[in-house]
PDB file of all heavy atoms in Angstrom:
ATOM      1  N   MET A  75      10.047 -15.192   5.947  1.00  0.00           N
ATOM      2  CA  MET A  75      10.324 -14.391   7.140  1.00  0.00           C
ATOM      3  C   MET A  75      11.248 -13.221   6.806  1.00  0.00           C
ATOM      4  O   MET A  75      11.065 -12.109   7.272  1.00  0.00           O
ATOM      5  CB  MET A  75      10.940 -15.273   8.225  1.00  0.00           C
ATOM      6  CG  MET A  75      11.264 -14.536   9.519  1.00  0.00           C
ATOM      7  SD  MET A  75       9.779 -13.891  10.339  1.00  0.00           S
ATOM      8  CE  MET A  75       9.098 -15.413  10.970  1.00  0.00           C
ATOM      9  N   GLU A  76      12.289 -13.513   5.986  1.00  0.00           N
ATOM     10  CA  GLU A  76      13.235 -12.463   5.601  1.00  0.00           C
ATOM     11  C   GLU A  76      12.552 -11.346   4.825  1.00  0.00           C
ATOM     12  O   GLU A  76      12.797 -10.171   5.058  1.00  0.00           O
ATOM     13  CB  GLU A  76      14.359 -13.073   4.758  1.00  0.00           C
ATOM     14  CG  GLU A  76      15.487 -12.090   4.457  1.00  0.00           C
ATOM     15  CD  GLU A  76      16.607 -12.757   3.687  1.00  0.00           C
ATOM     16  OE1 GLU A  76      16.707 -13.994   3.735  1.00  0.00           O
ATOM     17  OE2 GLU A  76      17.378 -12.026   3.044  1.00  0.00           O
ATOM     18  N   GLN A  77      11.631 -11.738   3.914  1.00  0.00           N
ATOM     19  CA  GLN A  77      10.893 -10.730   3.142  1.00  0.00           C
ATOM     20  C   GLN A  77      10.001  -9.901   4.054  1.00  0.00           C
ATOM     21  O   GLN A  77       9.868  -8.690   3.876  1.00  0.00           O
ATOM     22  CB  GLN A  77      10.052 -11.417   2.073  1.00  0.00           C
ATOM     23  CG  GLN A  77      10.872 -12.003   0.939  1.00  0.00           C
ATOM     24  CD  GLN A  77      10.000 -12.717  -0.079  1.00  0.00           C
ATOM     25  OE1 GLN A  77       8.814 -12.942   0.157  1.00  0.00           O
ATOM     26  NE2 GLN A  77      10.597 -13.085  -1.195  1.00  0.00           N
ATOM     27  N   GLU A  78       9.383 -10.548   5.037  1.00  0.00           N
ATOM     28  CA  GLU A  78       8.519  -9.830   5.974  1.00  0.00           C
ATOM     29  C   GLU A  78       9.321  -8.833   6.796  1.00  0.00           C
ATOM     30  O   GLU A  78       8.876  -7.713   7.054  1.00  0.00           O
ATOM     31  CB  GLU A  78       7.814 -10.850   6.895  1.00  0.00           C
ATOM     32  CG  GLU A  78       6.692 -10.252   7.733  1.00  0.00           C
ATOM     33  CD  GLU A  78       5.561  -9.733   6.886  1.00  0.00           C
ATOM     34  OE1 GLU A  78       5.268 -10.314   5.827  1.00  0.00           O
ATOM     35  OE2 GLU A  78       4.977  -8.706   7.289  1.00  0.00           O
ATOM     36  N   ASN A  79      10.554  -9.214   7.234  1.00  0.00           N
ATOM     37  CA  ASN A  79      11.417  -8.295   7.987  1.00  0.00           C
ATOM     38  C   ASN A  79      11.827  -7.102   7.139  1.00  0.00           C
ATOM     39  O   ASN A  79      11.866  -5.963   7.614  1.00  0.00           O
ATOM     40  CB  ASN A  79      12.666  -9.039   8.483  1.00  0.00           C
ATOM     41  CG  ASN A  79      12.350 -10.036   9.581  1.00  0.00           C
ATOM     42  OD1 ASN A  79      11.347  -9.877  10.288  1.00  0.00           O
ATOM     43  ND2 ASN A  79      13.175 -11.057   9.728  1.00  0.00           N
ATOM     44  N   GLU A  80      12.127  -7.367   5.847  1.00  0.00           N
ATOM     45  CA  GLU A  80      12.471  -6.268   4.938  1.00  0.00           C
ATOM     46  C   GLU A  80      11.326  -5.282   4.831  1.00  0.00           C
ATOM     47  O   GLU A  80      11.520  -4.071   4.833  1.00  0.00           O
ATOM     48  CB  GLU A  80      12.778  -6.831   3.540  1.00  0.00           C
ATOM     49  CG  GLU A  80      14.188  -7.356   3.380  1.00  0.00           C
ATOM     50  CD  GLU A  80      14.431  -7.803   1.944  1.00  0.00           C
ATOM     51  OE1 GLU A  80      14.022  -7.065   1.024  1.00  0.00           O
ATOM     52  OE2 GLU A  80      14.995  -8.879   1.764  1.00  0.00           O
ATOM     53  N   LYS A  81      10.112  -5.833   4.725  1.00  0.00           N
ATOM     54  CA  LYS A  81       8.931  -4.994   4.591  1.00  0.00           C
ATOM     55  C   LYS A  81       8.759  -4.123   5.843  1.00  0.00           C
ATOM     56  O   LYS A  81       8.498  -2.921   5.756  1.00  0.00           O
ATOM     57  CB  LYS A  81       7.696  -5.882   4.397  1.00  0.00           C
ATOM     58  CG  LYS A  81       6.478  -5.141   3.885  1.00  0.00           C
ATOM     59  CD  LYS A  81       5.256  -6.047   3.821  1.00  0.00           C
ATOM     60  CE  LYS A  81       5.463  -7.245   2.933  1.00  0.00           C
ATOM     61  NZ  LYS A  81       4.232  -8.065   2.814  1.00  0.00           N
ATOM     62  N   CYS A  82       8.910  -4.705   7.036  1.00  0.00           N
ATOM     63  CA  CYS A  82       8.760  -3.966   8.299  1.00  0.00           C
ATOM     64  C   CYS A  82       9.831  -2.895   8.440  1.00  0.00           C
ATOM     65  O   CYS A  82       9.550  -1.772   8.876  1.00  0.00           O
ATOM     66  CB  CYS A  82       8.800  -4.935   9.479  1.00  0.00           C
ATOM     67  SG  CYS A  82       7.382  -6.045   9.561  1.00  0.00           S
ATOM     68  N   ASN A  83      11.076  -3.246   8.070  1.00  0.00           N
ATOM     69  CA  ASN A  83      12.168  -2.268   8.153  1.00  0.00           C
ATOM     70  C   ASN A  83      11.928  -1.084   7.227  1.00  0.00           C
ATOM     71  O   ASN A  83      12.188   0.066   7.571  1.00  0.00           O
ATOM     72  CB  ASN A  83      13.507  -2.938   7.804  1.00  0.00           C
ATOM     73  CG  ASN A  83      13.941  -3.917   8.870  1.00  0.00           C
ATOM     74  OD1 ASN A  83      13.545  -3.802  10.034  1.00  0.00           O
ATOM     75  ND2 ASN A  83      14.752  -4.907   8.491  1.00  0.00           N
ATOM     76  N   PHE A  84      11.422  -1.375   6.034  1.00  0.00           N
ATOM     77  CA  PHE A  84      11.138  -0.307   5.077  1.00  0.00           C
ATOM     78  C   PHE A  84      10.056   0.630   5.622  1.00  0.00           C
ATOM     79  O   PHE A  84      10.195   1.859   5.593  1.00  0.00           O
ATOM     80  CB  PHE A  84      10.691  -0.923   3.748  1.00  0.00           C
ATOM     81  CG  PHE A  84      10.138   0.080   2.781  1.00  0.00           C
ATOM     82  CD1 PHE A  84      10.983   0.957   2.097  1.00  0.00           C
ATOM     83  CD2 PHE A  84       8.762   0.163   2.554  1.00  0.00           C
ATOM     84  CE1 PHE A  84      10.471   1.883   1.200  1.00  0.00           C
ATOM     85  CE2 PHE A  84       8.254   1.085   1.661  1.00  0.00           C
ATOM     86  CZ  PHE A  84       9.108   1.948   0.979  1.00  0.00           C
ATOM     87  N   LEU A  85       8.980   0.057   6.178  1.00  0.00           N
ATOM     88  CA  LEU A  85       7.885   0.875   6.699  1.00  0.00           C
ATOM     89  C   LEU A  85       8.327   1.722   7.888  1.00  0.00           C
ATOM     90  O   LEU A  85       7.895   2.867   8.043  1.00  0.00           O
ATOM     91  CB  LEU A  85       6.701  -0.021   7.107  1.00  0.00           C
ATOM     92  CG  LEU A  85       5.927  -0.676   5.953  1.00  0.00           C
ATOM     93  CD1 LEU A  85       4.897  -1.656   6.495  1.00  0.00           C
ATOM     94  CD2 LEU A  85       5.233   0.384   5.097  1.00  0.00           C
ATOM     95  N   SER A  86       9.204   1.160   8.705  1.00  0.00           N
ATOM     96  CA  SER A  86       9.635   1.885   9.907  1.00  0.00           C
ATOM     97  C   SER A  86      10.433   3.141   9.572  1.00  0.00           C
ATOM     98  O   SER A  86      10.548   4.048  10.404  1.00  0.00           O
ATOM     99  CB  SER A  86      10.451   0.965  10.817  1.00  0.00           C
ATOM    100  OG  SER A  86      11.660   0.599  10.183  1.00  0.00           O
ATOM    101  N   ARG A  87      11.007   3.198   8.372  1.00  0.00           N
ATOM    102  CA  ARG A  87      11.788   4.370   7.981  1.00  0.00           C
ATOM    103  C   ARG A  87      10.921   5.510   7.430  1.00  0.00           C
ATOM    104  O   ARG A  87      11.417   6.609   7.190  1.00  0.00           O
ATOM    105  CB  ARG A  87      12.829   3.966   6.929  1.00  0.00           C
ATOM    106  CG  ARG A  87      13.911   3.025   7.458  1.00  0.00           C
ATOM    107  CD  ARG A  87      15.102   2.962   6.513  1.00  0.00           C
ATOM    108  NE  ARG A  87      14.765   2.358   5.241  1.00  0.00           N
ATOM    109  CZ  ARG A  87      14.869   1.046   4.986  1.00  0.00           C
ATOM    110  NH1 ARG A  87      15.282   0.221   5.949  1.00  0.00           N
ATOM    111  NH2 ARG A  87      14.573   0.564   3.803  1.00  0.00           N
ATOM    112  N   LEU A  88       9.631   5.241   7.244  1.00  0.00           N
ATOM    113  CA  LEU A  88       8.735   6.269   6.711  1.00  0.00           C
ATOM    114  C   LEU A  88       8.185   7.128   7.833  1.00  0.00           C
ATOM    115  O   LEU A  88       8.216   6.761   9.012  1.00  0.00           O
ATOM    116  CB  LEU A  88       7.582   5.606   5.956  1.00  0.00           C
ATOM    117  CG  LEU A  88       7.975   4.703   4.782  1.00  0.00           C
ATOM    118  CD1 LEU A  88       6.727   4.047   4.200  1.00  0.00           C
ATOM    119  CD2 LEU A  88       8.721   5.481   3.707  1.00  0.00           C
ATOM    120  N   SER A  89       7.660   8.301   7.469  1.00  0.00           N
ATOM    121  CA  SER A  89       7.053   9.185   8.467  1.00  0.00           C
ATOM    122  C   SER A  89       5.788   8.542   9.021  1.00  0.00           C
ATOM    123  O   SER A  89       5.146   7.732   8.338  1.00  0.00           O
ATOM    124  CB  SER A  89       6.696  10.526   7.818  1.00  0.00           C
ATOM    125  OG  SER A  89       5.647  10.351   6.883  1.00  0.00           O
ATOM    126  N   PRO A  90       5.400   8.892  10.267  1.00  0.00           N
ATOM    127  CA  PRO A  90       4.178   8.324  10.859  1.00  0.00           C
ATOM    128  C   PRO A  90       2.949   8.579   9.990  1.00  0.00           C
ATOM    129  O   PRO A  90       2.070   7.716   9.888  1.00  0.00           O
ATOM    130  CB  PRO A  90       4.070   9.040  12.204  1.00  0.00           C
ATOM    131  CG  PRO A  90       5.479   9.442  12.528  1.00  0.00           C
ATOM    132  CD  PRO A  90       6.121   9.754  11.221  1.00  0.00           C
ATOM    133  N   GLU A  91       2.881   9.743   9.357  1.00  0.00           N
ATOM    134  CA  GLU A  91       1.725  10.082   8.515  1.00  0.00           C
ATOM    135  C   GLU A  91       1.635   9.147   7.314  1.00  0.00           C
ATOM    136  O   GLU A  91       0.561   8.665   6.957  1.00  0.00           O
ATOM    137  CB  GLU A  91       1.815  11.540   8.030  1.00  0.00           C
ATOM    138  CG  GLU A  91       1.674  12.589   9.113  1.00  0.00           C
ATOM    139  CD  GLU A  91       2.961  12.783   9.909  1.00  0.00           C
ATOM    140  OE1 GLU A  91       4.019  12.238   9.479  1.00  0.00           O
ATOM    141  OE2 GLU A  91       2.903  13.458  10.947  1.00  0.00           O
ATOM    142  N   LEU A  92       2.799   8.895   6.673  1.00  0.00           N
ATOM    143  CA  LEU A  92       2.820   8.034   5.506  1.00  0.00           C
ATOM    144  C   LEU A  92       2.543   6.581   5.898  1.00  0.00           C
ATOM    145  O   LEU A  92       1.858   5.846   5.180  1.00  0.00           O
ATOM    146  CB  LEU A  92       4.172   8.136   4.799  1.00  0.00           C
ATOM    147  CG  LEU A  92       4.278   7.513   3.393  1.00  0.00           C
ATOM    148  CD1 LEU A  92       3.160   8.007   2.492  1.00  0.00           C
ATOM    149  CD2 LEU A  92       5.631   7.820   2.776  1.00  0.00           C
ATOM    150  N   GLN A  93       3.071   6.167   7.063  1.00  0.00           N
ATOM    151  CA  GLN A  93       2.789   4.817   7.553  1.00  0.00           C
ATOM    152  C   GLN A  93       1.287   4.624   7.766  1.00  0.00           C
ATOM    153  O   GLN A  93       0.718   3.593   7.423  1.00  0.00           O
ATOM    154  CB  GLN A  93       3.539   4.560   8.867  1.00  0.00           C
ATOM    155  CG  GLN A  93       5.043   4.391   8.708  1.00  0.00           C
ATOM    156  CD  GLN A  93       5.703   4.003  10.017  1.00  0.00           C
ATOM    157  OE1 GLN A  93       5.208   3.146  10.736  1.00  0.00           O
ATOM    158  NE2 GLN A  93       6.828   4.644  10.334  1.00  0.00           N
ATOM    159  N   GLU A  94       0.657   5.656   8.321  1.00  0.00           N
ATOM    160  CA  GLU A  94      -0.788   5.588   8.582  1.00  0.00           C
ATOM    161  C   GLU A  94      -1.572   5.497   7.273  1.00  0.00           C
ATOM    162  O   GLU A  94      -2.546   4.747   7.155  1.00  0.00           O
ATOM    163  CB  GLU A  94      -1.219   6.833   9.361  1.00  0.00           C
ATOM    164  CG  GLU A  94      -2.671   6.796   9.811  1.00  0.00           C
ATOM    165  CD  GLU A  94      -3.040   8.016  10.647  1.00  0.00           C
ATOM    166  OE1 GLU A  94      -2.122   8.688  11.177  1.00  0.00           O
ATOM    167  OE2 GLU A  94      -4.244   8.284  10.762  1.00  0.00           O
ATOM    168  N   LYS A  95      -1.104   6.252   6.267  1.00  0.00           N
ATOM    169  CA  LYS A  95      -1.775   6.231   4.966  1.00  0.00           C
ATOM    170  C   LYS A  95      -1.651   4.861   4.314  1.00  0.00           C
ATOM    171  O   LYS A  95      -2.606   4.339   3.729  1.00  0.00           O
ATOM    172  CB  LYS A  95      -1.176   7.309   4.054  1.00  0.00           C
ATOM    173  CG  LYS A  95      -1.914   7.482   2.740  1.00  0.00           C
ATOM    174  CD  LYS A  95      -1.355   8.654   1.956  1.00  0.00           C
ATOM    175  CE  LYS A  95      -2.135   8.852   0.655  1.00  0.00           C
ATOM    176  NZ  LYS A  95      -1.618   9.999  -0.134  1.00  0.00           N
ATOM    177  N   ILE A  96      -0.462   4.248   4.413  1.00  0.00           N
ATOM    178  CA  ILE A  96      -0.241   2.923   3.828  1.00  0.00           C
ATOM    179  C   ILE A  96      -1.120   1.882   4.513  1.00  0.00           C
ATOM    180  O   ILE A  96      -1.714   1.021   3.865  1.00  0.00           O
ATOM    181  CB  ILE A  96       1.248   2.539   3.918  1.00  0.00           C
ATOM    182  CG1 ILE A  96       2.078   3.401   2.958  1.00  0.00           C
ATOM    183  CG2 ILE A  96       1.457   1.054   3.611  1.00  0.00           C
ATOM    184  CD1 ILE A  96       3.574   3.221   3.095  1.00  0.00           C
ATOM    185  N   GLN A  97      -1.204   1.969   5.836  1.00  0.00           N
ATOM    186  CA  GLN A  97      -2.047   1.023   6.569  1.00  0.00           C
ATOM    187  C   GLN A  97      -3.513   1.181   6.197  1.00  0.00           C
ATOM    188  O   GLN A  97      -4.256   0.192   6.094  1.00  0.00           O
ATOM    189  CB  GLN A  97      -1.864   1.214   8.081  1.00  0.00           C
ATOM    190  CG  GLN A  97      -0.496   0.826   8.606  1.00  0.00           C
ATOM    191  CD  GLN A  97      -0.147  -0.630   8.327  1.00  0.00           C
ATOM    192  OE1 GLN A  97      -1.017  -1.502   8.331  1.00  0.00           O
ATOM    193  NE2 GLN A  97       1.132  -0.908   8.072  1.00  0.00           N
ATOM    194  N   ALA A  98      -3.954   2.432   5.975  1.00  0.00           N
ATOM    195  CA  ALA A  98      -5.338   2.686   5.574  1.00  0.00           C
ATOM    196  C   ALA A  98      -5.621   2.095   4.194  1.00  0.00           C
ATOM    197  O   ALA A  98      -6.691   1.528   3.949  1.00  0.00           O
ATOM    198  CB  ALA A  98      -5.629   4.183   5.578  1.00  0.00           C
ATOM    199  N   LEU A  99      -4.643   2.228   3.281  1.00  0.00           N
ATOM    200  CA  LEU A  99      -4.807   1.671   1.948  1.00  0.00           C
ATOM    201  C   LEU A  99      -4.838   0.153   1.977  1.00  0.00           C
ATOM    202  O   LEU A  99      -5.548  -0.493   1.200  1.00  0.00           O
ATOM    203  CB  LEU A  99      -3.680   2.155   1.021  1.00  0.00           C
ATOM    204  CG  LEU A  99      -3.779   3.603   0.544  1.00  0.00           C
ATOM    205  CD1 LEU A  99      -2.505   4.005  -0.187  1.00  0.00           C
ATOM    206  CD2 LEU A  99      -4.987   3.801  -0.363  1.00  0.00           C
ATOM    207  N   LYS A 100      -4.050  -0.454   2.890  1.00  0.00           N
ATOM    208  CA  LYS A 100      -4.068  -1.907   3.022  1.00  0.00           C
ATOM    209  C   LYS A 100      -5.420  -2.384   3.535  1.00  0.00           C
ATOM    210  O   LYS A 100      -5.927  -3.416   3.127  1.00  0.00           O
ATOM    211  CB  LYS A 100      -2.954  -2.363   3.973  1.00  0.00           C
ATOM    212  CG  LYS A 100      -1.562  -2.306   3.358  1.00  0.00           C
ATOM    213  CD  LYS A 100      -0.492  -2.677   4.360  1.00  0.00           C
ATOM    214  CE  LYS A 100      -0.584  -4.127   4.777  1.00  0.00           C
ATOM    215  NZ  LYS A 100       0.488  -4.520   5.709  1.00  0.00           N
ATOM    216  N   ALA A 101      -6.012  -1.610   4.462  1.00  0.00           N
ATOM    217  CA  ALA A 101      -7.311  -1.979   5.024  1.00  0.00           C
ATOM    218  C   ALA A 101      -8.439  -1.760   4.016  1.00  0.00           C
ATOM    219  O   ALA A 101      -9.405  -2.521   3.975  1.00  0.00           O
ATOM    220  CB  ALA A 101      -7.577  -1.172   6.292  1.00  0.00           C
ATOM    221  N   ASN A 102      -8.335  -0.694   3.200  1.00  0.00           N
ATOM    222  CA  ASN A 102      -9.355  -0.372   2.211  1.00  0.00           C
ATOM    223  C   ASN A 102      -8.693  -0.081   0.865  1.00  0.00           C
ATOM    224  O   ASN A 102      -8.642   1.069   0.424  1.00  0.00           O
ATOM    225  CB  ASN A 102     -10.181   0.845   2.652  1.00  0.00           C
ATOM    226  CG  ASN A 102     -11.002   0.546   3.887  1.00  0.00           C
ATOM    227  OD1 ASN A 102     -11.960  -0.198   3.845  1.00  0.00           O
ATOM    228  ND2 ASN A 102     -10.597   1.145   5.010  1.00  0.00           N
ATOM    229  N   PRO A 103      -8.157  -1.087   0.200  1.00  0.00           N
ATOM    230  CA  PRO A 103      -7.463  -0.842  -1.066  1.00  0.00           C
ATOM    231  C   PRO A 103      -8.431  -0.325  -2.126  1.00  0.00           C
ATOM    232  O   PRO A 103      -9.577  -0.780  -2.201  1.00  0.00           O
ATOM    233  CB  PRO A 103      -6.919  -2.225  -1.443  1.00  0.00           C
ATOM    234  CG  PRO A 103      -7.786  -3.186  -0.717  1.00  0.00           C
ATOM    235  CD  PRO A 103      -8.198  -2.510   0.548  1.00  0.00           C
ATOM    236  N   PRO A 104      -7.997   0.627  -2.950  1.00  0.00           N
ATOM    237  CA  PRO A 104      -8.894   1.181  -3.971  1.00  0.00           C
ATOM    238  C   PRO A 104      -9.069   0.221  -5.142  1.00  0.00           C
ATOM    239  O   PRO A 104      -8.193  -0.594  -5.442  1.00  0.00           O
ATOM    240  CB  PRO A 104      -8.157   2.448  -4.419  1.00  0.00           C
ATOM    241  CG  PRO A 104      -6.707   2.149  -4.172  1.00  0.00           C
ATOM    242  CD  PRO A 104      -6.671   1.273  -2.952  1.00  0.00           C
ATOM    243  N   ILE A 105     -10.222   0.306  -5.792  1.00  0.00           N
ATOM    244  CA  ILE A 105     -10.456  -0.446  -7.025  1.00  0.00           C
ATOM    245  C   ILE A 105      -9.768   0.314  -8.151  1.00  0.00           C
ATOM    246  O   ILE A 105      -9.839   1.539  -8.214  1.00  0.00           O
ATOM    247  CB  ILE A 105     -11.971  -0.567  -7.285  1.00  0.00           C
ATOM    248  CG1 ILE A 105     -12.621  -1.434  -6.203  1.00  0.00           C
ATOM    249  CG2 ILE A 105     -12.246  -1.158  -8.665  1.00  0.00           C
ATOM    250  CD1 ILE A 105     -14.125  -1.479  -6.268  1.00  0.00           C
ATOM    251  N   PRO A 106      -9.080  -0.376  -9.070  1.00  0.00           N
ATOM    252  CA  PRO A 106      -8.450   0.322 -10.196  1.00  0.00           C
ATOM    253  C   PRO A 106      -9.487   1.072 -11.027  1.00  0.00           C
ATOM    254  O   PRO A 106     -10.696   0.835 -10.921  1.00  0.00           O
ATOM    255  CB  PRO A 106      -7.812  -0.810 -11.007  1.00  0.00           C
ATOM    256  CG  PRO A 106      -7.740  -1.966 -10.085  1.00  0.00           C
ATOM    257  CD  PRO A 106      -8.869  -1.828  -9.124  1.00  0.00           C
ATOM    258  N   THR A 107      -9.032   1.969 -11.871  1.00  0.00           N
ATOM    259  CA  THR A 107      -9.933   2.699 -12.760  1.00  0.00           C
ATOM    260  C   THR A 107      -9.659   2.294 -14.209  1.00  0.00           C
ATOM    261  O   THR A 107      -8.582   1.787 -14.524  1.00  0.00           O
ATOM    262  CB  THR A 107      -9.757   4.220 -12.611  1.00  0.00           C
ATOM    263  OG1 THR A 107      -8.386   4.561 -12.875  1.00  0.00           O
ATOM    264  CG2 THR A 107     -10.121   4.673 -11.195  1.00  0.00           C
ATOM    265  N   TRP A 108     -10.628   2.526 -15.066  1.00  0.00           N
ATOM    266  CA  TRP A 108     -10.524   2.182 -16.480  1.00  0.00           C
ATOM    267  C   TRP A 108     -11.451   3.111 -17.265  1.00  0.00           C
ATOM    268  O   TRP A 108     -12.322   3.772 -16.685  1.00  0.00           O
ATOM    269  CB  TRP A 108     -10.916   0.713 -16.701  1.00  0.00           C
ATOM    270  CG  TRP A 108     -12.156   0.313 -15.973  1.00  0.00           C
ATOM    271  CD1 TRP A 108     -13.447   0.548 -16.352  1.00  0.00           C
ATOM    272  CD2 TRP A 108     -12.233  -0.358 -14.692  1.00  0.00           C
ATOM    273  NE1 TRP A 108     -14.324   0.064 -15.413  1.00  0.00           N
ATOM    274  CE2 TRP A 108     -13.608  -0.495 -14.393  1.00  0.00           C
ATOM    275  CE3 TRP A 108     -11.284  -0.867 -13.800  1.00  0.00           C
ATOM    276  CZ2 TRP A 108     -14.046  -1.124 -13.223  1.00  0.00           C
ATOM    277  CZ3 TRP A 108     -11.735  -1.473 -12.637  1.00  0.00           C
ATOM    278  CH2 TRP A 108     -13.094  -1.605 -12.357  1.00  0.00           C
ATOM    279  N   PRO A 109     -11.308   3.163 -18.585  1.00  0.00           N
ATOM    280  CA  PRO A 109     -12.162   4.050 -19.401  1.00  0.00           C
ATOM    281  C   PRO A 109     -13.633   3.654 -19.334  1.00  0.00           C
ATOM    282  O   PRO A 109     -13.972   2.498 -19.048  1.00  0.00           O
ATOM    283  CB  PRO A 109     -11.615   3.863 -20.825  1.00  0.00           C
ATOM    284  CG  PRO A 109     -10.252   3.301 -20.645  1.00  0.00           C
ATOM    285  CD  PRO A 109     -10.274   2.495 -19.383  1.00  0.00           C
ATOM    286  N   ASP A 110     -14.518   4.595 -19.632  1.00  0.00           N
ATOM    287  CA  ASP A 110     -15.959   4.353 -19.564  1.00  0.00           C
ATOM    288  C   ASP A 110     -16.428   3.237 -20.487  1.00  0.00           C
ATOM    289  O   ASP A 110     -17.403   2.550 -20.183  1.00  0.00           O
ATOM    290  CB  ASP A 110     -16.737   5.634 -19.900  1.00  0.00           C
ATOM    291  CG  ASP A 110     -16.874   6.545 -18.688  1.00  0.00           C
ATOM    292  OD1 ASP A 110     -16.710   6.050 -17.554  1.00  0.00           O
ATOM    293  OD2 ASP A 110     -17.137   7.741 -18.875  1.00  0.00           O
ATOM    294  N   GLN A 111     -15.749   3.076 -21.624  1.00  0.00           N
ATOM    295  CA  GLN A 111     -16.194   2.066 -22.593  1.00  0.00           C
ATOM    296  C   GLN A 111     -15.729   0.659 -22.239  1.00  0.00           C
ATOM    297  O   GLN A 111     -16.003  -0.291 -22.967  1.00  0.00           O
ATOM    298  CB  GLN A 111     -15.729   2.429 -24.010  1.00  0.00           C
ATOM    299  CG  GLN A 111     -14.227   2.358 -24.234  1.00  0.00           C
ATOM    300  CD  GLN A 111     -13.517   3.673 -23.927  1.00  0.00           C
ATOM    301  OE1 GLN A 111     -14.031   4.482 -23.155  1.00  0.00           O
ATOM    302  NE2 GLN A 111     -12.373   3.899 -24.551  1.00  0.00           N
ATOM    303  N   LYS A 112     -15.026   0.519 -21.105  1.00  0.00           N
ATOM    304  CA  LYS A 112     -14.540  -0.795 -20.677  1.00  0.00           C
ATOM    305  C   LYS A 112     -15.042  -1.124 -19.280  1.00  0.00           C
ATOM    306  O   LYS A 112     -15.573  -0.270 -18.575  1.00  0.00           O
ATOM    307  CB  LYS A 112     -13.010  -0.823 -20.720  1.00  0.00           C
ATOM    308  CG  LYS A 112     -12.446  -0.625 -22.131  1.00  0.00           C
ATOM    309  CD  LYS A 112     -10.936  -0.770 -22.157  1.00  0.00           C
ATOM    310  CE  LYS A 112     -10.407  -0.608 -23.582  1.00  0.00           C
ATOM    311  NZ  LYS A 112      -8.942  -0.771 -23.655  1.00  0.00           N
ATOM    312  N   ARG A 113     -14.849  -2.388 -18.893  1.00  0.00           N
ATOM    313  CA  ARG A 113     -15.193  -2.827 -17.543  1.00  0.00           C
ATOM    314  C   ARG A 113     -14.028  -3.677 -17.024  1.00  0.00           C
ATOM    315  O   ARG A 113     -13.601  -4.628 -17.680  1.00  0.00           O
ATOM    316  CB  ARG A 113     -16.476  -3.663 -17.528  1.00  0.00           C
ATOM    317  CG  ARG A 113     -17.728  -2.904 -17.953  1.00  0.00           C
ATOM    318  CD  ARG A 113     -18.086  -1.802 -16.961  1.00  0.00           C
ATOM    319  NE  ARG A 113     -19.313  -1.111 -17.324  1.00  0.00           N
ATOM    320  CZ  ARG A 113     -19.362  -0.036 -18.108  1.00  0.00           C
ATOM    321  NH1 ARG A 113     -18.242   0.456 -18.634  1.00  0.00           N
ATOM    322  NH2 ARG A 113     -20.510   0.551 -18.369  1.00  0.00           N
TER     323      ARG A 113
END
């Protein structure tokens, strides 16, 4: 619970635009990238 409150407090200090971007990334997290010769 304490960690969750810390997380909420941290997000609340960010700009609305950045908060929206973080929420979008949480909903659709990107797949990492790697070189063509690897998978």
